[in-house]
Amino acid sequence: MRYCIHRGTQEIGGTCISLESNGKRLVLDVGSPLDKDDDGALLPDVAGFRYPDESLMGIAISHAHPDHYGLAKYVHPDVKILIGEAAHRIIKAAGQFMPGMPELPNVVYLQDRVPVTMGPFRLTPYLVDHSAYDSHAFLI
């Protein structure tokens, strides 16, 4: 397995890490940096984000903080978004008060300790107490 940290090491927030195995990829978070204006130019240049790419299996969002999901609104709508159901509800509810929140149209709900297999990846979410509700650490 190979990994690439696209964002989040030189700034606060903006987390985006991709994993690759057997020609398939899984991305962990697609966050917006906390110290920069939000625009599509900040979206990392990852194959499958802007245009369909069959090697991208999906994006796993760890929790409902913009520095972990904020750039998802610029990702192609066919990309699967793996997220906890409550975190998804929080993002949708916040969208009523914060224009520009992502719609996240292609969602696969995560459940605590229930593995999800996508291509060569087996992702097991573990509920953790980071944000108020529905944050996940991942075992891959």
Side-chain angles (χ1 to χ4, degrees), residues 4 9-10 20 43 64 73 79 81 90 95 123 126:
C4 179
T9 62
Q10 303 297 314
E20 181 180 343
L43 185 67
K73 62 187 166 194
V79 175
I81 303 292
I90 290 167
L123 177 78
Y126 287 85

Side-chain angles (χ1 to χ4, degrees), residues 5 30-31 35 45 48 54 69-70 96 125 138:
I5 300 172
V30 62
D35 61 349
D45 187 21
E54 290 184 11
Y69 73 82
Q96 297 175 32
F138 300 115

Side-chain angles (χ1 to χ4, degrees), residues 11-99:
E11 67 241 333
I12 299 171
T15 305
C16 185
I17 301 167
S18 55
L19 308 171
E20 181 180 343
S21 181
N22 297 327
K24 299 293 184 183
R25 293 173 299 111
L26 179 67
V27 173
L28 306 177
D29 289 334
V30 62
S32 55
L34 297 178
D35 61 349
K36 295 185 175 66
D37 290 334
D38 176 18
D39 66 30
L42 295 174
L43 185 67
D45 187 21
V46 173
F49 273 10
R50 295 186 190 277
Y51 304 101
D53 185 315
E54 290 184 11
S55 69
L56 180 60
M57 306 304 301
I59 301 170
I61 304 294
S62 59
H63 62 285
H65 286 169
D67 60 325
H68 292 268
Y69 73 82
L71 296 178
K73 62 187 166 194
Y74 301 113
V75 172
H76 192 277
D78 289 347
V79 175
K80 286 187 170 111
I81 303 292
L82 293 85
I83 189 169
E85 187 173 2
H88 188 217
R89 284 195 316 265
I90 290 167
I91 292 169
K92 288 191 329 188
Q96 297 175 32
F97 306 101
M98 299 170 59

Side-chain angles (χ1 to χ4, degrees), residues 96-130:
Q96 297 175 32
F97 306 101
M98 299 170 59
M101 297 293 276
E103 291 292 320
L104 306 181
N106 197 359
V107 170
V108 174
Y109 287 129
L110 300 171
Q111 296 178 352
D112 182 42
R113 301 173 194 242
V114 177
V116 175
T117 301
M118 300 186 87
F121 302 101
R122 181 181 167 145
L123 177 78
T124 305
Y126 287 85
L127 216 55
V128 296
D129 187 18
H130 170 63

